[in-house]
Amino acid sequence: MTLPLTVEEVPGRGLVAVALTVRAGGDDDPPGRHGTAHLVEHLMFPRGAGEDLGHVALVEEAGGMCNAETHRDHTVFHTVAPADALPELLAWEARRLRRFAPAPATVRSENAIVAEEIRASDAGTRLWDTVLAALYPGARDAYGTVAELRALTPDEAEAFFRRHYRPERAVLSVAGDVDAARTAELVEREFGGWTPPPVPCPADRTAPGPSPAPASASASPSPSPSPSLSVPSSPSPSARPHGVTPRHEAPVPYHRDGVAIGHALADPRRDRGTYFAQAVLCEVLRRSRLPGLLTRTARLDAATVRCGYQGQWLASAAPDLALVLLGRAPGTGTDEAVGLWRDTLAELAAEPPGQEELRPALAVLRAACHRQADSLTARAVTHGRAALLFPGLDGTGPDTIPEHLAAVTAPEVSAAARALLTAPSTVRTLERATP
């Protein structure tokens, strides 16, 4: 199979960005080897010896920069350099795919680097992944576990690579001062013979983690890696409307007392309109409704909401979530904090926002999309994700996202709030970690 290719001609800049997006992330880590995808990402930057320069050195000598990101459902490698270096960039990209065979010393050294990244990630950075795993048992973060990675062998790393780094699981995207036809010729020359040998293994997990049980289901979700609970999405019988009564399990250590609430977002592949409206909803909440809530009550001293992975929506395929973080003032319990949040969300569900709220929220989101689209690297990465994670879905390209945002109406934002209220959700109590 030929490696799928997306090319966008952006003349006049003198630069080119290349992104290789692979469907391999934390969700694909083998049992007992959490972090394999992350480690393989590091091993894709081979270091040279003597006159054989390593991958990063080759790119830098050509005047470029390169990096990579491992996510829950994919890994992306991106490079930007002068446009006339494209033939070399593609040759080097193909070379590291063909020559992947890490030595034990390399695995040990990169393992140490990954371990430092894991230790350096604080509770706030990991909280999104913790809440996602509570809502979708089986979902894995991309960081990994130091103890499990320490036991990983070069053979296991190579087996993971051979199993997942294959043309049918990848997309190459190029954006910049290039000719599309010439780029296609170069890609065929460098990648046409890329046919990794088959590796005997269990069937690949190509779908996201299991969907959560409906909110009304009586059966509890299967155990997740950390203590979690599912909160009914419909109001529980209580004096407070839209209140919830979550079970109190082991709290999450954090830098302050608070609450983390995760709401399942709509699947953009099946309900693009609701997903975009929920992104706008979160911006309306962040800009005006949550600050207004803080001025009306002393029970909370902080409140924010993020839409999508670490605030990046359309950065991964479903399942995706909106993460709400509330700071509990002294004497405020988890139930009360959650009730205040759901009341705020219910207000928007009952009455659409006015234009004085909607217009600024849309302007901020669209401006952010346009700023990101100014970067050739971001354009190449967006094209790769659109082709691999959202194939055939209109509205996920770097220039079409702002158009779909602009089309979101106030009634659609109100409907998005109702969808969030009735979607599966999860609550985690945050408690200040003692020094």
Side-chain angles (χ1 to χ4, degrees):
M1 177 181 178
T2 303
L3 176 66
L5 171 67
T6 299
V7 181
E8 180 189 11
E9 297 179 356
V10 187
R13 298 197 186 182
L15 294 172
V16 63
V18 176
L20 176 69
T21 309
V22 183
R23 192 185 298 277
D27 280 358
D28 300 291
D29 289 341
R33 292 293 185 269
H34 185 198
T36 302
H38 188 185
L39 179 62
V40 168
E41 174 220 305
H42 280 246
L43 295 173
M44 275 285 285
F45 292 86
R47 305 175 191 277
E51 297 182 358
D52 185 15
L53 292 177
H55 185 84
V56 175
L58 288 169
V59 172
E60 290 178 346
E61 280 209 346
M65 298 180 295
C66 59
N67 211 329
E69 307 165 16
T70 303
H71 292 257
R72 173 183 53 77
D73 56 0
H74 72 284
T75 301
V76 57
F77 303 86
H78 46 82
T79 305
V80 63
D84 57 10
L86 179 62
E88 289 79 13
L89 295 183
L90 295 175
W92 298 331
E93 198 70 52
R95 183 179 78 163
R96 63 176 172 170
L97 287 168
R98 290 196 180 97
R99 294 187 180 182
F100 188 91
T106 304
V107 172
R108 286 194 298 271
S109 64
E110 293 303 321
N111 220 331
I113 296 173
V114 171
E116 282 304 310
E117 291 183 3
I118 294 172
R119 283 189 281 265
S121 61
D122 59 20
T125 303
R126 303 294 292 273
L127 191 55
W128 194 94
D129 299 298
T130 300
V131 173
L132 181 75
L135 192 57
Y136 296 94
R140 308 294 295 273
D141 67 72
Y143 287 93
T145 304
V146 174
E148 294 183 9
L149 280 176
R150 190 179 294 122
L152 191 140
T153 68
D155 286 345
E156 289 174 318
E158 187 166 358
F160 182 92
F161 175 86
R162 299 301 176 195
R163 183 157 61 248
H164 297 287
Y165 282 63
R166 310 181 67 83
E168 66 271 18
R169 297 179 62 90
V171 170
L172 189 71
S173 47
V174 179
D177 205 346
V178 298
D179 176 78
R182 173 59 177 158
T183 301
E185 292 174 0
L186 292 171
V187 170
E188 179 60 31
R189 184 184 75 186
E190 300 297 342
F191 295 88
W194 180 33
T195 53
V199 177
C201 63
D204 287 333
R205 177 183 176 181
T206 57
S211 298
S216 59
S218 58
S220 300
S222 57
S224 60
S226 56
S228 63
L229 59 135
S230 292
V231 178
S233 55
S234 57
S236 62
S238 69
R240 168 177 291 280
H242 310 290
V244 292
T245 309
R247 297 197 321 271
H248 291 280
E249 300 197 17
V252 177
Y254 201 57
H255 66 269
R256 56 158 305 147
D257 292 335
V259 178
I261 308 167
H263 291 273
L265 292 173
D267 186 341
R269 296 167 300 185
R270 297 180 177 86
D271 191 356
R272 181 189 63 194
T274 299
Y275 186 88
F276 275 89
Q278 286 175 337
V280 177
L281 166 68
C282 289
E283 187 63 25
V284 169
L285 287 160
R286 187 189 70 81
R287 288 183 55 81
S288 57
R289 294 302 174 102
L290 291 180
L293 172 63
L294 294 178
T295 63
R296 295 194 306 271
T297 179
R299 310 304 291 169
L300 302 176
D301 53 23
T304 189
V305 59
R306 297 177 182 176
C307 181
Y309 179 75
Q310 307 293 3
Q312 305 173 57
W313 43 284
L314 284 181
S316 293
D320 204 352
L321 62 82
L323 176 63
V324 183
L325 295 179
L326 305 175
R328 292 184 289 120
T332 304
T334 295
D335 294 357
E336 184 178 5
V338 174
L340 290 168
W341 154 252
R342 290 182 69 88
D343 285 349
T344 302
L345 193 56
E347 290 173 3
L348 275 169
E351 184 175 350
Q355 287 301 309
E356 71 280 0
E357 283 188 292
L358 184 59
R359 278 196 301 268
L362 289 175
V364 168
L365 289 174
R366 293 172 65 195
C369 290
H370 286 305
R371 284 196 301 271
Q372 187 179 36
D374 278 343
S375 162
L376 285 179
T377 300
R379 296 188 74 85
V381 169
T382 301
H383 282 304
R385 285 174 174 162
L388 189 72
L389 304 177
F390 310 105
L393 180 64
D394 180 34
T396 56
D399 294 322
T400 54
I401 293 175
E403 298 174 7
H404 287 281
L405 287 171
V408 174
T409 66
E412 288 172 336
V413 172
S414 188
R418 291 193 294 273
L420 216 60
L421 277 170
T422 57
S425 61
T426 189
V427 173
R428 298 300 300 267
T429 299
L430 308 178
E431 286 192 357
R432 186 188 301 273
T434 55

